[in-house]
């Protein structure tokens, strides 16, 4: 399994009073948490799908789950590949 995502730091200048960006800082953390939850759901989905596929084909046998919304593999012919995508 890959490494955990790096933390995101947002620099906010509040020297001249509380800016609009500083007022909304709580929302930034909540949005980052939503992204992390979405990515973890995708990772879980791809891991489950790949474990079932290993019993039927070797196309994705060496692949691990990813956090993206698609999974691609070569078709064995130059220029062609299989792509599985979730919305």
């Amino acid at each position: 399994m890959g490494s955990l995502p790096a933390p995101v730091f947002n620099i906010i200048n509040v020297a001249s009073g509380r800016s609009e960006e500083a007022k909304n800082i709580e929302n930034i953390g909540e949005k980052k948490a939503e992204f992390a939850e979405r990515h973890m759901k995708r990772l879980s989905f791809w891991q489950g799908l790949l474990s079932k596929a290993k019993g039927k084909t070797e196309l994705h046998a060496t692949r691990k789950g990813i956090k993206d919304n698609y999974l691609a593999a070569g078709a064995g012919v130059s220029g062609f590949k299989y792509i599985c995508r979730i919305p």
Side-chain angles (χ1 to χ4, degrees), residues 59-60 63 72-77 80-83:
L59 183 64
H60 297 293
R63 298 295 308 260
V77 179
F80 290 93
K81 57 180 144 181
Y82 296 108
I83 301 174

Side-chain angles (χ1 to χ4, degrees), residues 8-81:
V8 176
F9 296 100
N10 295 312
I11 299 172
I12 299 173
N13 182 6
V14 292
S16 62
R18 201 168 157 112
S19 67
E20 283 299 314
E21 190 173 359
K23 291 176 186 175
N24 296 322
I25 190 68
E26 294 85 16
N27 295 334
I28 293 172
E30 291 173 8
K31 289 178 184 178
K32 299 298 180 192
E34 288 175 16
F35 294 145
E37 182 181 351
R38 179 185 69 200
H39 290 135
M40 297 315 291
K41 286 180 180 179
R42 287 180 185 165
L43 179 64
S44 176
F45 171 79
W46 289 124
Q47 287 173 338
L49 182 68
L50 291 171
S51 68
K52 291 184 185 242
K54 282 183 185 178
K56 299 186 182 228
T57 180
E58 293 186 21
L59 183 64
H60 297 293
T62 59
R63 298 295 308 260
K64 296 181 181 177
I66 58 172
K67 293 183 244 177
D68 295 328
N69 68 335
Y70 70 95
L71 182 71
V77 179
S78 179
F80 290 93
K81 57 180 144 181

